[in-house]
Amino acid sequence: MKAVERIEDLNKISFPKLGWEFNIDPTAFKIGSLEIQWYGIIITLGLVLAVLYCIPRMKRFGIDSDRAIDAVIGGVLGGIVGARAYYVIAESDEYKGNIKEIFNTRGGGLAIYGGIIGALLVGLLICRIRKVKALPMLDVTVLGFLIGQGIGRWGNFFNREAFGGFAGDGLFAMQLPWDVAVKHMSSASAAELLPLVENGTILVHPTFLYESMWNLVLTIIILAYTKKKKF
């Protein structure tokens, strides 16, 4: 087994090819003994901006915002529950014998697939109950989803999680302390990347950045399309 050098600065994140270096504590601040994480702040910011974007534009899509707000709130709550449930099921081994940790989302652990499923199920159900047209509702909320996801994905950056495979000399290669990165890997991924560790660090793909940029591109495309289209 390869010996890994331990490094002191576990808060360091760098992009060697770009010359960028950050030192970020995942904990934003404390209120007494309660630690407020950057992850939660970023996720919340994405949700709030998504909702603030969607509600004023509902009239243009032929939607009564007074009725639709119930579906939005329900969709958000359903998305959070679904995202957590999906992650817990996918990483069930992590929670065996530690049931309390299932409800601890402050350290990360939300899966977008589950979030989409939960938001759709709850949101569409409330649309039916409140007699809100489902398809126009989906048209307007997809933009909110892209905005929320594009911003919320940066929570993974602050948590140093959900990164990709070995990036080598790639332009956007992100360098993380191995002791931090390995906590967010499966045992198979850790075994695969261990031989590539140098000076106590590993170079990985910043998938949060790739997805965030892709969400931005899609948002621009859809905005350009809907701006010209009459509903």
Side-chain angles (χ1 to χ4, degrees):
M1 180 69 70
K2 179 179 177 178
V4 177
E5 177 187 350
R6 298 301 187 241
I7 60 176
E8 294 181 3
D9 193 356
L10 298 181
N11 289 331
K12 184 178 178 181
I13 306 174
S14 60
F15 295 81
K17 290 291 183 179
L18 298 173
W20 298 345
E21 186 173 306
F22 306 92
N23 193 295
I24 302 172
D25 189 333
T27 300
F29 57 90
K30 295 182 180 180
I31 302 175
S33 60
L34 178 64
E35 295 185 347
I36 307 300
Q37 305 295 316
W38 279 113
Y39 179 86
I41 293 174
I42 297 298
I43 294 292
T44 302
L45 177 64
L47 285 172
V48 170
L49 291 180
V51 171
L52 290 178
Y53 174 85
C54 289
I55 292 177
R57 287 160 179 78
M58 287 182 176
K59 185 176 180 180
R60 184 167 182 269
F61 286 79
I63 301 171
D64 182 345
S65 59
D66 290 336
R67 290 177 176 272
I69 190 64
D70 294 340
V72 171
I73 294 173
V76 169
L77 294 176
I80 294 172
V81 173
R84 184 59 175 173
Y86 192 103
Y87 179 86
V88 169
I89 292 171
E91 304 293 335
S92 56
D93 290 343
E94 182 180 338
Y95 299 97
K96 286 182 178 178
N98 197 6
I99 302 299
K100 289 183 179 179
E101 279 301 305
I102 291 177
F103 305 98
N104 179 22
T105 61
R106 291 187 298 118
L110 300 175
I112 185 59
Y113 315 107
I116 293 174
I117 293 170
L120 283 175
L121 288 177
V122 177
L124 291 177
L125 175 61
I126 295 178
C127 278
R128 185 176 181 84
I129 295 172
R130 294 288 285 152
K131 295 181 171 56
V132 176
K133 295 179 181 178
L135 291 181
M137 187 67 177
L138 290 174
D139 284 339
V140 69
T141 54
V142 71
L143 281 169
F145 164 75
L146 290 173
I147 292 170
Q149 178 68 0
I151 295 171
R153 201 66 166 88
W154 285 81
N156 299 133
F157 169 67
F158 286 92
N159 259 16
R160 300 153 180 79
E161 64 180 0
F163 44 79
F166 184 64
D169 293 327
L171 177 63
F172 295 104
M174 179 173 65
Q175 188 176 54
L176 297 175
W178 173 254
D179 283 356
V180 173
V182 73
K183 295 177 181 178
H184 301 288
M185 298 181 194
S186 64
S187 56
S189 296
E192 181 181 345
L193 291 178
L194 182 58
L196 303 171
V197 175
E198 292 187 7
N199 300 320
T201 64
I202 186 70
L203 290 165
V204 294
H205 283 287
T207 48
F208 72 90
L209 174 62
Y210 302 157
E211 185 175 344
S212 185
M213 293 301 100
W214 180 232
N215 285 327
L216 175 61
V217 170
L218 284 177
T219 300
I220 293 172
I221 292 173
I222 295 175
L223 280 174
Y225 173 75
T226 55
K227 188 175 181 179
K228 297 178 180 179
K229 185 176 176 61
K230 292 183 179 180
F231 294 92

